[in-house]
Structure formats: structure tokens, C-alpha cells
């Protein structure tokens, strides 16, 4: 276990559904991230929260909405997704500082949009 | 835009053979990290390199950071079946991490 827990592990949803992905870290880190991993593509950074403030939003469609209520919890709210949004969604945490510290990843949520 | 390219995309080796993956950045990096992702798993941090020309070893794995801090390599000596997985580099520009496309390693027993 890496100390970063993601739920659910698998999710199948229709394009009209609303669902949320949850991430919790037990490492005392102050930065949390959402990454998207699609086949044959690099890991894509979606959102970064540092000290509970969003510091990065890489032109992600508004159908993805992050929420960080505290430094240990991170959510990704999903609504009206498209089939091309099917991917592995990875949460990660690190200790934010001057230099990028190593990322601790959760096991991911494998999302299928029908 | 910023890109971190990795080659090769796939590599199949006989158990006991060596393996190398290369990572190249279009811009100078402040540091570079390497991750391993087992099939069905999630990326796990291996190492971080910070200094120009730095070389670090972890048992059979040797990591190198180029003099210009634009490229890096990971070399595995005498591969074992436990080395199977995808190896990613991640370059830090000082503002953001850019993950490479990854090299998928298959080790044939």
C-alpha cells in the first residue's frame, strides 16, 4: 500500500450519469493531484491542489470538477462524460515545496463510459 | 509545447539480457524522476536525479542524468521476470512535471 487510497476501483457509467471519484492520503502530504492515463498516451495532469488551493487546471473540460475539502481528501466529480473519457484515473500526493517531490499514486479508478 | 519523449515504446528481452530506456526532453529540466508501473498496477517511484551528469544505482538498475539535463536513461542489467512493467520518466521544468510516454518491458523466461 502506498498510503493513497482510491475508490471505487472500477466504475461503469452512462453519459448522462453523475458520479464521483474519491481519494484519501494518509501520508501527511500537502499536495494532491488527479492524473488521467489512457492507452498509448503519457500520464496527463488534470488538476493540482497545494495546501487545499487549486494551482493547476490543464484545460480540462468542465464535465470534470475537482474538490479538495482538506489536505487529505480529493474528489473528482463527473457528469455528462463522453466515451473518450474512458481511462484510468489516478490520484497522487506529494509534499509540495520548491522542488517537485516524488509522487505517491493510488491504485486508480478504471472508468468506462458507455 | 513541452514534451518528454521515451524510446523505445516496447521492448521484449530474454531473461538475463540487459535493457535500456531513454528519455529526452525538449527543454532543460531541473530534475527527473523514474517510475515503474506493473501490469494492472499504478506508477511507483523509483528514483530522482537532480545534478548534471548524475549516476545512481539501485541493485541491477542504473539511472543517468545527462550533462545538459535534457536526457536521462535507465539501464537494467540481467533482466528478471520481476522487471516486467512500464517504465516512465517524469521531467520537472520547475513549473510542472511532464511524464514520458513510457517503455513497456516484457521479459521472456
Amino acid at each position: 500500500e502506498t498510503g493513497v487510497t482510491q475508490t471505487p476501483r472500477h466504475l461503469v457509467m452512462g453519459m448522462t450519469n453523475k458520479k464521483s471519484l474519491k481519494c484519501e492520503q494518509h501520508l501527511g502530504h500537502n499536495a494532491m493531484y488527479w492524473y488521467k492515463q489512457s492507452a498509448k498516451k503519457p500520464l496527463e495532469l488534470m488538476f493540482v491542489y497545494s495546501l487545499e488551493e487549486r494551482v493547476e487546471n490543464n484545460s480540462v473540460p468542465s464535465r470534470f470538477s475537482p474538490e479538495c475539502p482538506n489536505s487529505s481528501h480529493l474528489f473528482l466529480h463527473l457528469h455528462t462524460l463522453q466515451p473518450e473519457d474512458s481511462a484510468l484515473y489516478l490520484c497522487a500526493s506529494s509534499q509540495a515545496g520548491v522542488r517537485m517531490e516524488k509522487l505517491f499514486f493510488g491504485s486508480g479508478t478504471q472508468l468506462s463510459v458507455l | 509545447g513541452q514534451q518528454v519523449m521515451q524510446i523505445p515504446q516496447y521492448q521484449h528481452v530474454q531473461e538475463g539480457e540487459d535493457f535500456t530506456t531513454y528519455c529526452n526532453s525538449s527543454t532543460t529540466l531541473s530534475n527527473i524522476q523514474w517510475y515503474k508501473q506493473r501490469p494492472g498496477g499504478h506508477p511507483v517511484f523509483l528514483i530522482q536525479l537532480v545534478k548534471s551528469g548524475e549516476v545512481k544505482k539501485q541493485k541491477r538498475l542504473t539511472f543517468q542524468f545527462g550533462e545538459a539535463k535534457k536526457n536521462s536513461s535507465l539501464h537494467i542489467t540481467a533482466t528478471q521476470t520481476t522487471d516486467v512493467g512500464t517504465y516512465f520518466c517524469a521531467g520537472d521544468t520547475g513549473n510542472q512535471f511532464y511524464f514520458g510516454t513510457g517503455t513497456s518491458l516484457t521479459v521472456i523466461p
Side-chain angles (χ1 to χ4, degrees):
Chain A
E1 289 298 324
T2 64
V4 180
T5 305
Q6 280 187 251
T7 54
R9 291 294 302 272
H10 302 273
L11 179 62
V12 179
M13 59 188 289
M15 289 190 283
T16 58
N17 291 159
K18 289 185 180 181
K19 296 286 184 182
S20 295
L21 309 184
K22 180 182 175 182
C23 178
E24 183 174 357
Q25 60 98 359
H26 309 276
L27 300 169
H29 289 160
N30 58 13
M32 296 187 77
Y33 311 76
W34 280 116
Y35 279 89
K36 177 183 178 183
Q37 186 173 35
S38 306
K40 300 182 180 180
K41 294 176 82 173
L43 279 160
E44 299 172 59
L45 178 64
M46 299 176 72
F47 301 103
V48 180
Y49 278 84
S50 179
L51 299 171
E52 300 160 42
E53 284 191 25
R54 190 191 306 180
V55 296
E56 190 75 42
N57 178 353
N58 278 359
S59 303
V60 179
S62 59
R63 56 185 184 268
F64 295 92
S65 174
E67 179 189 359
C68 186
N70 55 61
S71 60
S72 299
H73 294 85
L74 185 66
F75 296 90
L76 187 63
H77 304 300
L78 317 171
H79 64 97
T80 60
L81 295 191
Q82 304 298 309
E84 60 264 29
D85 296 321
S86 298
L88 179 68
Y89 288 85
L90 291 159
C91 172
S93 71
S94 74
Q95 191 61 29
V98 175
R99 188 176 68 200
M100 185 72 175
E101 294 298 326
K102 62 184 179 182
L103 297 171
F104 290 79
F105 285 90
S107 299
T109 295
Q110 187 65 55
L111 174 67
S112 296
V113 181
L114 305 179
Chain B
Q2 169 67 32
Q3 277 193 330
V4 175
M5 304 302 294
Q6 262 186 272
I7 55 170
Q9 189 175 357
Y10 302 97
Q11 185 79 59
H12 295 241
V13 299
Q14 286 290 141
E15 189 173 15
E17 291 182 339
D18 292 356
F19 159 77
T20 304
T21 173
Y22 300 91
C23 183
N24 293 288
S25 169
S26 56
T27 59
T28 302
L29 303 170
S30 58
N31 67 83
I32 195 160
Q33 297 180 6
W34 285 90
Y35 291 80
K36 177 184 178 181
Q37 185 172 18
R38 294 183 184 275
H42 56 273
V44 175
F45 173 83
L46 293 177
I47 208 159
Q48 179 169 270
L49 303 169
V50 179
K51 299 176 183 176
S52 169
E54 188 171 15
V55 178
K56 286 188 176 180
K57 292 191 176 185
Q58 288 180 350
K59 298 182 180 178
R60 295 178 293 104
L61 277 61
T62 302
F63 303 84
Q64 191 165 8
F65 202 7
E67 295 289 340
K69 301 183 77 172
K70 284 188 172 185
N71 55 68
S72 181
S73 64
L74 158 58
H75 179 82
I76 302 178
T77 304
T79 54
Q80 300 175 358
T81 55
T82 53
D83 296 325
V84 164
T86 301
Y87 293 84
F88 295 95
C89 62
D92 182 5
T93 63
N95 295 317
Q96 190 173 324
F97 247 16
Y98 291 92
F99 275 87
T101 45
T103 296
S104 177
L105 173 64
T106 300
V107 179
I108 304 163

